[in-house]
Amino acid sequence: MSCALLLLLTSLALAMGTGAAVEIQRPRGVPQSKRQFYEENKPFTCLDGSSTIPFDRVNDDYCDCRDGSDEPGTAACPNGSFHCSNAGFRPAFIPSSRINDGICDCCDTTDEYNSGATCQNTCREMGRKERESLQIMAEITKEGFLLKQQLIHEAKRGQEDKQVKGSGGKVEALRTVKETAEDPEKGAKERHLKSWEEQKELIRMEKDKTRMAEAFLELDDDSDGYVSVAELQSHLELDPDSDGSLTETETQGLLGGEGKVDTSTFETVWSIIKDQYLSEGLLDPPAPVETPQEEQSRDFVSDHDSDHYPEDYAGEEEDVEDDEEDDHEEEEEKVPPTVQTPEKRGDDELSMPPYDTETQSLIDAAQKARDDFDEAERALREVDNQMKNLEKEIGFDFGPSAEFAYLYSQCYELSTSEYIYRLCPFNRVSQKPKFGGSETNLGLWGQWAGPEDNLYSMMKYDHGQGCWQGPNRSTTVKLTCGKETVVTSTSEPSRCEYLMEFTTPAVCQEPASLDEVLHGHTEL
Amino acid sequence: MAAFIVRMGPLLVLWLAVFLSGTWAVDRGNFKTCDQSAFCKRQRALKPGQSPYRALLETLELTNTKLTLQLINDNNKVRLLLELYRLQGNMTRVKINELKPLKPRFEVPDVLINDPPTEPLSLLSQDENGVVLSLGADSQWLIVSAKPFRLDIMEGREVLLSLNSRGLLAFEHLRIRKDTISYKIKNKVYSAWENIKWVFSSQVDPEGAEKKEETDAANEPAEGETAKEDGMWEETFKSHTDNKPNGPSSISLDFSLPGVEHVYGIPEHADSLKLKTTDGGDPYRLFNLDVFQYELFNPMALYGAIPVMLSHSAQRTMGIFWLNAAETWVDISSNTAGKVRHTHTHTHLVNMEGYNYVQGSSETPQTDVRWISESGIIDVFIMLGPTPTDVFSQYASLTGTQAFPPLSALAYHQCRWNYNDQEDVAAVDQGFDEHDIPYDFIWLDIEHTDGKRYFTWDPHKFPQPKDMLQGLMDKRRKMVTIVDPHIKVDSSYKIHNEIRSKGFYVKNKDGGDYEGWCWPGNSGYPDFTNPEMRAWWASMFAYDQYAGSMENMYTWNDMNEPSVFNGPEVTMHKDALHGNWENRDLHNLYGLYVQMATAEGLIERSGGVERPFVLTRAFFAGSQRYGAVWTGDNTAEWEHLKISIPMCLSLGLVGVSFCGADVGGFFKSPSTELLVRWYQTGAYQPFFRAHAHLDTPRREPWLFGPENTALIREAVRQRYALLPYWYQLFYHAHHSGQPVMRPLWVEYPQDTATFSMDDQFLLGRDLLVHPVTEEGGRGVTAYLPGKGEVWFDVHTFQKHNGAQNLYIPVTISSIPVFQRGGSIIPRKARVRRSSSCMEHDPYTLFVALSPKRFAQGELYIDDGHTFNFDKQKQFIHRRLSFANKALSSRNLAPGSQFITPSWIEKIVILGASKPSKATLKTPDGKENLLEFEFDASMSVLTLRKPGVNAGVDWTVVLQ
């Protein structure tokens, strides 16, 4: 009864031209893997088990199963899907709603069996094209992957290099050498210095005696072998209270209470007056030049200070980007002009005699050790700097095998009709109008931003220049596998949010064998 | 941003700097208050109760079609001519003009669809106090009182409506300027007195009155020096001076509505559905303006103006259509609002032979309305209802009905300022397919053009527009491009050159081409009031004229208020000239004409076969005939989502059914929750388009995570499934002028609880929608109207009783929608990627039984895009009814014919009991048993696969 009724209904549907009836040899839209569930002439149980229906209700253009599994080949179920085998190309599932909607979705045309749409079977063509492009891609991937291995290797070597340089062992060895050499040098130098000091004292005494004799002769105006009060009184520089006059009593005091002294007693007098005594040939008092000179130099320094402050202030206001340059300039400016303070070179300044050969050889050895050490230390400082940079660099995530390290401190440009875009990986993205105008910061390095399973496929640069009434500019860089490292396109999908496409071998994955790529998913 | 600024030109930057400076709200200072609009200030200063107007009954003439009567202003002796018409369909038209104006005053053309047919008036009685006329129907009378002049429309002993009952009829007659030197010499004698005189002053000075008797109306007393102060001959707002060579010309009239506490309409305002009283604030303003970042809940003017007000009480619905296209202000006061009594009396007694009545007793609520317009004439249509349906029909008989849109235009539209280039368009199109979200139209805003030269394409971004359009066509989808009315002044631009050489531009007051700043920089404004200009404009849409256009490309008219960035109030100078008329006279008509000419262009390009689709921002009465309207540049805020309901309801009440708001909000960026809620709301509003400002982040539906993508997908799918019902509602709107989206009171006119509701609405009469418009909403309280009625939740099929406030707990996926018990709604359950793809799909009928186990509905089917439904009667229109346990489909339009492959897939009967069997009877006499399922918990009976063609007679009998 029910069966007959259904037949009637079907014929009715046919009579109305509904196309509801579908000739089923093998249920339309069922993938190979699920074929077993659709057994002809046996009741069909919905794949979610929700109900069981006669088999003639499978693909009868009415949705009976909640999961849509009874209508794999019609558009009746809102949540169904249709399987196209697409022989010659890749099989696919499409939503049921795309069956007979007048649009060719499956390249084998099987989705449009009753819509009047004229579809061409394009599977072979698409397959061929896909194989071609896969082949090209596979080649790119293969080469790219090789390049990537190289990049990884280079990155590793680079790191080792830096580590060796940075070990510091050499410096320590040189320090020992230096210190060993410096020990005897120090002793010899000290001995030499001591004898030189003794010698210098002798010479000084000799010189003093000579000066005393000269002074005695000079003072003994009447050449009576005595220096008298009167003879000494003309030397105003000896005035103990500096009142401008040398009284008799004062002079007498200088002469030890005597009226006159002979050469032997003069020795004592000399020891008192020798520091003040001016030879009579120089008796004109010297011009007092030192005090104003000091004032001048103080003034100059204070001027310089007051000049400098506003410069510092101005410097702070300038764009952050220019800071580096500013620093150099400022350093130069900060060095004050050398103030020429006249150095008094005493006539009695004596130069030390050369070292004896033994000492000299010790000194030479030590100097060499010192030079070596200094050089090593300089190198160490350099390495230290490098280490600091490296530490900064290490702060960057250059990928699982540091394959992206080579991009560090590089920049890549793309020129469009209006702008030149510049990507400096791990640093910044910018845009500069081609025909004049200033550069715009499109974002500073933020982080890797790919999906969880492919983190290193996207970079995010943010906190770029602010947009008028909008957010700060930001750029997403999409990385794809390529033999060359190059920016391939830029766009601004949303106001002030830029998208850049960038190819690099660093994202190339180990290629599957070409056979696998081409035939892996093919199901007939 | 730099690029943005470069694109817009330096002056615009200046404009933006002024307009956008730091705030996210309208700069009110850019727009006039009544006080800043000279005529409004003058008019509003008038006090009620001192009307100087008197009817000269001896001048009464009555012909078959009309009554004419002269009125005189006793203060200045200027005579007016009153014309009264009884119009077919229970309407009365009152026209008042100067008897002998110095020069013709503007009368609005092209809005009425014809000269409204009249019915004869008959004189019932006449004495020295007035005249009583029969209005023919339902014992309706019209009483003309002579002194002061007043009109009362009565039904039996009840006053329905009175005109000039408060004495605020004021007609500034045209005059010769008095403060010119030559005039002063001529009129020296009177100048002293005239200096203190008001134009239509009611301060009667006996001496002055005598003197005035001596002057004749044509040689009118002067206003003297005060004129300037009153802004009669010149007026300055901000830096703009409005020269008024014609002097003062404003008009005003008051209406009293006894028994009325609720008035609606007069869009466009961002305000509640029920209009508020305007005492102590500004009147509602009608003046088409491009208001940047408009504020909510105030009477400021917006992009469009429809001078139609509806009044409603439990007894009667009426309408007032004030046919005037000049700047207009509407004051509303009420004796019940805030319980503030007016100082003037509402009591008016006319005692004439046989007709005694009292109106406005203190117990009766009353609403008083006053219309003020800057120029033109008084031409008012009083639509007497009495039902809401009657008023809709009456208004439709005057200005026409909603254009019947192509079915696809009722589907989902994806817009953004801007889709950047062809690749972007292709990617968005692909995105919809990847995420299995249907859409029909993708839109291109101004950036698609070559330097804002409309009808052109940016050669870099859109080098192959036809390829792009073909790509969309292959997916059975469509595109809309923007064509604004401002035309770049550029001698290498063909459109500009042609308009200039044909003299089609609007002229400035000195006769040169009017120029103003808009998107392209310096722009001209074609004179769309000129029919030759419109014909030429229409011809520009021909496929061989609009390069790169194809049949799946439609049009969007924006900025057609018109927007003039450097003009007064961001619009055209009022003294700009459209032929002989000033913009002042017809300002509010400009946008209507732009859309009219554009729609005509789309019709013509297809040889008159295809229905056009044109969206406009500015509109006027009659704009419904040309396409869709949206609520302009709204903001991504919850309050803006909420206001979309009253704004579209208000438009629907006055003829414009095809209304929508930018889904997501134009300015700013919506929270994900707001975006989802807006999709859910928009899916149940007539024009369903997402749009976003250039500076906002992208917001295609799939950019907010899979959960939100699914929520938006579901909302859009609900829209697509319901398209057969939407289409049918629009057929009715087109056919009979009934609004698609309706306030509840329209269907429940006696249920006072519904009168102020605007957070829920009806679609047709059978679906009630209460969208969730609260942030973090956990539930809504929906009012289900109708005592003794039932409503079914369309998602759960749960039944609820009418006349109750129902609390509905909601989740983020909830869109509370109810189907009225007693209705049948057709749906298409197979939602596909565009509405065109669903064309031949089968129908599912949702039969919601009334408590009396009855239901009725319709099914309308045609080709979905041509005029053949009209010209060749190619459509199917069927009555579906369920009674006596039988559901049947009968032909409602025997003269029509159309073949559809669509069939009836499923019938779901809500509130059913379990039958023992279900039999399908078809016209060939065959009877077939139908399988069915019955869900006892919800009383839902599902009939499996009737399979019968949707266009034939059939019956299903349940036993």
Side-chain angles (χ1 to χ4, degrees):
Chain A
M1 177 69 196
S2 145
C3 237
L5 216 149
L6 271 162
L7 277 171
L8 272 171
L9 268 177
T10 308
S11 59
L12 178 70
L14 280 170
M16 300 294 177
T18 64
V22 168
E23 199 189 332
I24 302 157
Q25 298 243 314
R26 161 203 155 185
R28 196 191 292 270
V30 176
Q32 188 91 329
S33 59
K34 289 186 177 154
R35 206 170 175 171
Q36 62 198 67
F37 302 114
Y38 297 82
E39 234 182 300
E40 216 162 334
N41 301 323
K42 283 192 178 168
F44 172 77
T45 300
C46 305
L47 297 187
D48 65 356
S50 58
S51 68
T52 298
I53 53 172
F55 191 79
D56 59 7
R57 294 199 178 170
V58 170
N59 279 340
D60 71 339
D61 210 13
Y62 185 90
C63 191
D64 291 287
C65 294
R66 278 198 308 234
D67 67 353
S69 57
D70 63 316
E71 297 294 318
T74 78
C77 294
N79 52 346
S81 62
F82 176 85
H83 183 262
C84 7
S85 10
N86 291 345
F89 187 53
R90 256 180 301 126
F93 285 96
I94 59 166
S96 289
S97 64
R98 294 183 192 171
I99 300 169
N100 292 327
D101 67 348
I103 299 162
C104 311
D105 291 286
C106 298
C107 63
D108 65 4
T109 77
T110 51
D111 61 318
E112 297 298 319
Y113 56 86
N114 198 23
S115 68
T118 44
C119 301
Q120 304 292 321
N121 188 324
T122 55
C123 291
R124 285 170 72 91
E125 180 62 13
M126 285 174 74
R128 189 180 60 76
K129 275 189 184 158
E130 194 189 46
R131 269 190 294 279
E132 273 172 19
S133 73
L134 279 174
Q135 207 140 13
I136 291 165
M137 263 315 294
E139 272 158 32
I140 289 173
T141 309
K142 197 172 152 195
E143 284 182 53
F145 189 71
L146 282 175
L147 287 168
K148 179 182 176 176
Q149 296 308 323
Q150 231 167 312
L151 290 172
I152 292 170
H153 183 68
E154 275 166 27
K156 212 181 252 175
R157 211 174 47 204
Q159 264 173 340
E160 278 165 6
D161 261 14
K162 283 160 191 165
Q163 269 159 15
V164 167
K165 274 190 203 160
S167 71
K170 192 176 166 195
V171 179
E172 285 315 307
L174 286 171
R175 191 191 298 279
T176 317
V177 171
K178 183 192 83 163
E179 280 166 5
T180 318
E182 274 176 338
D183 250 2
E185 180 215 38
K186 206 177 157 196
K189 263 177 145 182
E190 273 168 10
R191 278 193 303 277
H192 179 82
L193 197 67
K194 202 178 166 194
S195 69
W196 167 236
E197 288 298 325
E198 286 164 5
Q199 213 180 329
K200 258 199 321 199
E201 188 55 29
L202 282 173
I203 293 167
R204 204 162 34 241
M205 281 165 71
E206 282 303 310
K207 273 185 118 177
D208 198 41
K209 273 185 185 161
T210 317
R211 266 188 83 205
M212 185 180 69
E214 279 168 8
F216 189 89
L217 286 174
E218 211 173 75
L219 287 166
D220 184 12
D221 290 338
D222 53 5
S223 305
D224 62 349
Y226 295 96
V227 171
S228 65
V229 169
E231 282 166 343
L232 193 59
Q233 232 173 330
S234 63
H235 284 260
L236 291 176
E237 76 270 20
L238 302 176
D239 180 12
D241 60 3
S242 306
D243 65 351
S245 71
L246 193 57
T247 62
E248 218 169 294
T249 326
E250 283 171 338
T251 315
Q252 210 168 342
L254 289 174
L255 293 181
E258 303 290 325
K260 55 180 182 184
V261 290
D262 62 7
T263 48
S264 64
T265 321
F266 187 72
E267 263 181 62
T268 324
V269 176
W270 177 246
S271 68
I272 295 166
I273 66 167
K274 68 177 174 190
D275 288 344
Q276 283 84 37
Y277 179 81
L278 290 173
S279 151
E280 275 165 21
L282 305 163
L283 249 185
D284 288 337
V289 290
E290 282 188 15
T291 311
Q293 218 169 16
E294 258 175 46
E295 270 171 20
Q296 251 180 10
S297 72
R298 245 203 316 279
D299 279 349
F300 188 93
V301 169
S302 77
D303 273 353
H304 181 81
D305 278 350
S306 67
D307 272 348
H308 203 73
Y309 270 104
E311 271 172 34
D312 262 355
Y313 185 64
E316 273 168 26
E317 274 206 330
E318 276 173 33
D319 206 316
V320 182
E321 285 167 43
D322 297 335
D323 261 8
E324 263 180 74
E325 284 168 22
D326 278 3
D327 282 350
H328 295 309
E329 281 166 23
E330 274 177 37
E331 263 168 43
E332 280 163 16
E333 280 172 32
K334 272 175 191 163
V335 179
T338 323
V339 181
Q340 292 292 337
T341 31
E343 252 175 66
K344 271 200 278 176
R345 278 195 168 265
D347 288 342
D348 56 356
E349 199 60 36
L350 295 167
S351 50
M352 189 170 69
Y355 294 113
D356 57 61
T357 42
E358 193 192 345
T359 307
Q360 192 56 51
S361 69
L362 284 172
I363 289 172
D364 288 349
Q367 191 58 43
K368 190 178 179 304
R370 214 164 14 242
D371 288 348
D372 288 353
F373 172 72
D374 283 351
E375 199 185 325
E377 205 177 39
R378 202 164 42 245
L380 180 65
R381 266 201 304 277
E382 218 167 83
V383 171
D384 268 355
N385 278 340
Q386 279 177 3
M387 289 293 280
K388 263 180 210 156
N389 285 338
L390 202 64
E391 265 168 40
K392 202 171 139 200
E393 253 183 87
I394 283 164
F396 293 112
D397 176 357
F398 287 137
S401 313
E403 62 267 40
F404 297 100
Y406 82 105
L407 297 172
Y408 185 72
S409 77
Q410 302 295 311
C411 290
Y412 304 88
E413 286 189 348
L414 178 73
S415 190
T416 67
S417 56
E418 269 180 286
Y419 298 101
I420 296 167
Y421 291 88
R422 194 175 159 87
L423 166 67
C424 304
F426 304 103
N427 185 5
R428 66 202 296 264
V429 184
S430 59
Q431 172 203 56
K432 195 175 164 69
K434 252 183 165 169
F435 310 105
S438 58
E439 193 183 76
T440 306
N441 175 0
L442 303 185
L444 303 174
W445 165 247
Q447 71 273 320
W448 290 103
E452 251 174 72
D453 57 340
N454 198 6
L455 181 68
Y456 299 96
S457 61
M458 258 186 243
M459 288 172 154
K460 182 84 181 172
Y461 293 80
D462 42 25
H463 300 108
Q465 205 159 309
C467 262
W468 178 77
Q469 285 233 335
N472 287 343
R473 286 172 175 77
S474 64
T475 303
T476 301
V477 180
K478 264 172 80 175
L479 289 81
T480 49
C481 167
K483 285 184 277 185
E484 287 170 9
T485 305
V486 63
V487 177
T488 55
S489 80
T490 60
S491 57
E492 189 183 353
S494 198
R495 180 51 86 195
C496 299
E497 288 178 13
Y498 297 81
L499 179 68
M500 199 169 253
E501 305 216 17
F502 185 57
T503 63
T504 160
V507 289
C508 296
Q509 300 295 321
E510 178 153 28
S513 80
L514 194 59
D515 278 1
E516 240 178 272
V517 171
L518 294 180
H519 309 295
H521 332 272
T522 313
E523 190 198 315
L524 295 172
Chain B
M1 212 61 240
F4 175 52
I5 283 164
V6 168
R7 272 176 245 166
M8 295 198 305
L11 214 122
L12 179 59
V13 175
L14 184 68
W15 175 81
L16 286 165
V18 172
F19 278 72
L20 311 187
S21 51
T23 57
W24 277 113
V26 67
D27 186 350
R28 284 175 184 242
N30 287 322
F31 303 102
K32 289 183 183 177
T33 61
C34 176
D35 249 17
Q36 290 166 323
S37 190
F39 76 93
C40 187
K41 187 179 182 181
R42 292 198 302 270
Q43 288 277 5
R44 227 185 177 200
L46 291 189
K47 294 284 171 281
Q50 298 163 330
S51 179
Y53 288 98
R54 179 161 55 88
L56 301 171
L57 294 179
E58 66 276 15
T59 63
L60 185 146
E61 280 178 42
L62 185 64
T63 70
N64 254 352
T65 58
K66 67 176 175 182
L67 172 148
T68 57
L69 181 64
Q70 291 179 23
L71 310 177
I72 188 163
N73 180 335
D74 277 328
N75 289 343
N76 59 18
K77 299 300 161 197
V78 175
R79 289 193 184 197
L80 305 179
L81 180 67
L82 166 78
E83 293 175 69
L84 264 172
Y85 302 82
R86 174 65 180 173
L87 302 183
Q88 285 177 20
N90 202 17
M91 288 180 284
T92 298
R93 181 181 193 180
V94 178
K95 252 175 116 166
I96 303 174
N97 197 351
E98 288 182 60
L99 181 64
K100 290 176 188 167
L102 271 181
K103 56 191 220 175
R105 296 180 65 118
F106 187 71
E107 297 188 36
V108 177
D110 300 313
V111 167
L112 299 178
I113 50 172
N114 52 28
D115 208 5
T118 58
E119 282 177 354
L121 285 161
S122 56
L123 194 63
L124 291 177
S125 81
Q126 180 173 11
D127 64 13
E128 72 282 7
N129 292 323
V131 183
V132 179
L133 298 154
S134 166
L135 288 177
D138 299 332
S139 62
Q140 283 180 358
W141 337 107
L142 177 77
I143 298 169
V144 184
S145 307
K147 191 176 178 181
F149 164 70
R150 165 182 174 133
L151 291 175
D152 291 280
I153 295 172
M154 320 261 310
E155 190 171 277
R157 291 184 163 262
E158 204 186 330
V159 179
L160 301 181
L161 172 137
S162 311
L163 281 72
N164 200 34
S165 52
R166 289 192 295 152
L168 294 169
L169 167 62
F171 212 105
E172 291 183 327
H173 57 279
L174 298 178
R175 65 203 71 189
I176 293 162
R177 187 163 186 169
K178 278 43 174 253
D179 57 354
T180 57
I181 289 162
S182 59
Y183 186 87
K184 274 180 187 165
I185 294 165
K186 215 165 107 192
N187 294 276
K188 226 176 184 173
V189 185
Y190 298 114
S191 61
W193 183 87
E194 301 301 342
N195 277 352
I196 52 163
K197 195 198 138 288
W198 192 252
V199 202
F200 28 69
S201 171
S202 53
Q203 297 155 17
V204 180
D205 177 335
E207 199 190 344
E210 265 172 48
K211 279 184 185 170
K212 276 185 289 169
E213 293 288 346
E214 294 160 22
T215 65
D216 82 54
N219 188 12
E220 191 36 36
E223 288 70 41
E225 272 72 32
T226 57
K228 197 167 185 183
E229 200 177 295
D230 297 335
M232 288 184 181
W233 297 93
E234 189 182 298
E235 161 175 9
T236 299
F237 178 68
K238 302 194 94 176
S239 61
H240 299 283
T241 299
D242 176 15
N243 289 295
K244 305 182 188 182
N246 297 323
S249 58
S250 74
I251 53 166
S252 162
L253 181 60
D254 66 275
F255 301 81
S256 290
L257 297 155
V260 169
E261 288 182 275
H262 293 82
V263 286
Y264 309 95
I266 55 167
E268 180 175 45
H269 300 101
D271 207 352
S272 54
L273 172 66
K274 174 191 179 335
L275 297 172
K276 295 171 182 143
T277 60
T278 57
D279 306 312
D282 257 11
Y284 282 99
R285 189 183 189 200
L286 293 171
F287 189 56
N288 293 357
L289 290 177
D290 178 3
V291 181
F292 184 83
Q293 290 181 342
Y294 60 80
E295 264 179 51
L296 307 184
F297 303 112
N298 73 52
M300 283 174 73
L302 284 180
Y303 313 95
I306 301 182
V308 179
M309 181 185 283
L310 267 57
S311 72
H312 178 71
S313 71
Q315 285 72 47
R316 179 179 285 272
T317 309
M318 293 190 295
I320 298 169
F321 171 28
W322 176 266
L323 180 50
N324 188 298
E327 179 184 345
T328 296
W329 299 77
V330 185
D331 254 323
I332 298 166
S333 59
S334 152
N335 64 347
T336 50
K339 298 211 162 43
V340 177
R341 307 293 306 189
H342 292 279
T343 50
H344 65 275
T345 176
H346 287 288
T347 308
H348 177 73
L349 185 69
V350 173
N351 194 345
M352 283 185 301
E353 204 185 343
Y355 302 96
N356 302 328
Y357 66 92
V358 177
Q359 104 166 66
S361 77
S362 57
E363 288 79 28
T364 319
Q366 176 167 317
T367 296
D368 294 312
V369 179
R370 181 188 183 193
W371 297 73
I372 303 167
S373 292
E374 187 175 9
S375 68
I377 64 162
I378 293 173
D379 190 1
V380 58
F381 297 80
I382 297 154
M383 301 172 282
L384 291 168
T387 68
T389 307
D390 292 332
V391 174
F392 301 141
S393 305
Q394 286 155 4
Y395 181 63
S397 74
L398 298 173
T399 66
T401 60
Q402 176 64 54
F404 192 27
L407 173 58
S408 54
L410 298 176
Y412 174 64
H413 300 260
Q414 182 66 34
C415 186
R416 167 170 189 86
W417 176 25
N418 213 89
Y419 285 120
N420 298 332
D421 47 32
Q422 285 179 216
E423 292 70 36
D424 199 3
V425 168
V428 171
D429 179 75
Q430 188 56 32
F432 275 92
D433 283 347
E434 273 166 23
H435 298 90
D436 204 14
I437 300 171
Y439 90 95
D440 271 58
F441 281 84
I442 186 164
W443 293 51
L444 294 181
D445 208 323
I446 51 174
E447 311 298 332
H448 84 275
T449 60
D450 182 7
K452 316 298 186 309
R453 294 170 186 86
Y454 304 106
F455 301 102
T456 70
W457 303 84
D458 183 306
H460 302 294
K461 297 169 181 167
F462 296 92
Q464 302 295 338
K466 284 195 175 180
D467 290 354
M468 171 178 65
L469 287 162
Q470 186 60 50
L472 291 170
M473 197 180 281
D474 291 345
K475 295 241 190 109
R476 308 181 76 174
R477 285 173 178 150
K478 301 172 171 67
M479 173 168 268
V480 168
T481 56
I482 196 164
V483 178
D484 287 353
H486 51 261
I487 301 299
K488 186 178 176 72
V489 173
D490 169 5
S491 58
S492 60
Y493 179 27
K494 182 188 96 172
I495 298 284
H496 163 72
N497 288 338
E498 288 207 30
I499 296 173
R500 170 162 283 184
S501 67
K502 290 176 195 290
F504 282 160
Y505 275 125
V506 172
K507 302 289 186 279
N508 60 37
K509 65 180 162 59
D510 304 316
D513 284 350
Y514 178 89
E515 287 180 3
W517 282 81
C518 210
W519 298 125
N522 200 26
S523 305
Y525 292 79
D527 184 3
F528 282 91
T529 70
N530 176 352
E532 285 173 43
M533 158 61 207
R534 293 200 299 272
W536 175 83
W537 179 267
S539 73
M540 289 299 101
F541 288 89
Y543 296 120
D544 60 352
Q545 290 292 324
Y546 191 161
S549 67
M550 281 174 52
E551 59 268 36
N552 64 338
M553 196 184 92
Y554 297 79
T555 309
W556 173 16
N557 293 148
D558 196 358
M559 315 296 278
N560 52 342
E561 295 75 26
S563 180
V564 182
F565 292 160
N566 58 339
E569 301 190 83
V570 204
T571 192
M572 191 172 274
H573 291 71
K574 281 181 174 170
D575 50 15
L577 293 168
H578 305 255
N580 291 325
W581 300 107
E582 285 187 290
N583 183 260
R584 181 188 329 279
D585 299 311
L586 48 75
H587 176 86
N588 289 345
L589 269 180
Y590 191 82
L592 173 140
Y593 278 131
V594 173
Q595 193 188 17
M596 177 195 278
T598 303
E600 187 53 39
L602 296 193
I603 294 170
E604 277 175 15
R605 70 174 187 182
S606 72
V609 172
E610 296 288 328
R611 286 178 239 163
F613 170 65
V614 182
L615 178 74
T616 182
R617 192 170 71 179
F619 51 83
F620 189 69
S623 285
Q624 70 269 17
R625 304 195 296 261
Y626 308 112
V629 157
W630 96 109
T631 62
D633 298 345
N634 62 359
T635 302
E637 289 169 354
W638 288 91
E639 290 299 310
H640 274 266
L641 167 59
K642 286 176 206 169
I643 206 81
S644 69
I645 300 173
M647 286 181 83
C648 280
L649 284 175
S650 296
L651 276 161
L653 289 175
V654 297
V656 179
S657 270
F658 206 0
C659 167
D662 285 347
V663 169
F666 178 67
F667 291 113
K668 298 173 117 182
S669 198
S671 67
T672 304
E673 184 192 359
L674 176 57
L675 184 66
V676 167
R677 290 301 191 198
W678 213 318
Y679 267 100
Q680 293 172 341
T681 305
Y684 286 90
Q685 290 177 347
F687 177 55
F688 183 26
R689 181 187 74 152
H691 188 32
H693 189 277
L694 185 71
D695 288 332
T696 60
R698 293 291 281 244
R699 54 168 97 134
E700 284 70 48
W702 50 88
L703 296 176
F704 304 90
E707 293 87 359
N708 294 302
T709 305
L711 290 167
I712 294 170
R713 178 191 300 123
E714 173 57 22
V716 178
R717 282 187 175 183
Q718 286 185 28
R719 170 60 165 237
Y720 275 74
L722 203 53
L723 282 173
Y725 184 63
W726 279 105
Y727 196 51
Q728 170 192 317
L729 291 177
F730 268 88
Y731 177 73
H732 280 287
H734 172 71
H735 198 256
S736 60
Q738 302 304 305
V740 167
M741 183 176 165
R742 303 174 188 170
L744 267 65
W745 62 260
V746 165
E747 295 301 329
Y748 298 86
Q750 266 131 46
D751 185 350
T752 54
T754 64
F755 290 3
S756 302
M757 277 181 189
D758 59 10
D759 57 353
Q760 61 180 57
F761 53 88
L762 293 167
L763 295 177
R765 46 187 299 235
D766 297 335
L767 278 188
L768 184 147
V769 185
H770 189 124
V772 183
T773 57
E774 293 285 342
E775 184 169 19
R778 297 286 177 91
V780 298
T781 302
Y783 179 74
L784 302 180
K787 201 166 166 50
E789 291 195 23
V790 292
W791 293 86
F792 294 88
D793 185 315
V794 300
H795 309 298
T796 64
F797 301 144
Q798 196 176 350
K799 185 161 81 177
H800 302 282
N801 288 324
Q804 67 153 329
N805 281 305
L806 177 70
Y807 179 79
I808 308 138
V810 298
T811 65
I812 187 65
S813 65
S814 308
I815 317 176
V817 180
F818 301 88
Q819 183 177 345
R820 190 177 58 82
S823 67
I824 301 173
I825 289 181
R827 293 175 190 255
K828 283 187 174 177
R830 305 179 180 192
V831 173
R832 302 188 188 250
R833 65 181 130 198
S834 74
S835 68
S836 302
C837 293
M838 297 161 63
E839 187 186 354
H840 300 313
D841 279 340
Y843 290 89
T844 297
L845 303 178
F846 287 82
V847 181
L849 296 184
S850 72
K852 291 180 178 164
R853 309 216 156 217
F854 172 83
Q856 205 170 57
E858 293 171 28
L859 185 59
Y860 176 85
I861 306 171
D862 65 15
D863 65 23
H865 58 97
T866 72
F867 284 110
N868 294 345
F869 76 97
D870 189 31
K871 293 181 178 164
Q872 300 169 25
K873 302 288 164 221
Q874 289 186 13
F875 63 90
I876 291 165
H877 193 191
R878 305 200 66 82
R879 160 71 64 216
L880 305 171
S881 41
F882 186 98
N884 303 319
K885 293 186 178 177
L887 175 65
S888 63
S889 171
R890 296 284 171 264
N891 196 352
L892 264 179
S896 68
Q897 50 157 6
F898 186 70
I899 306 243
T900 177
S902 295
W903 46 285
I904 307 298
E905 178 175 27
K906 193 195 280 196
I907 297 169
V908 182
I909 305 176
L910 312 179
S913 45
K914 189 176 182 178
S916 55
K917 63 175 183 174
T919 314
L920 172 72
K921 298 180 181 178
T922 41
D924 52 11
K926 284 184 180 155
E927 294 196 5
N928 304 297
L929 283 182
L930 295 182
E931 273 205 30
F932 58 82
E933 267 178 54
F934 184 73
D935 174 357
S937 68
M938 286 290 170
S939 304
V940 178
L941 176 68
T942 305
L943 303 179
R944 187 186 191 278
K945 205 180 181 188
V948 59
N949 184 280
V952 303
D953 287 346
W954 52 266
T955 303
V956 172
V957 179
L958 305 177
Q959 283 162 316

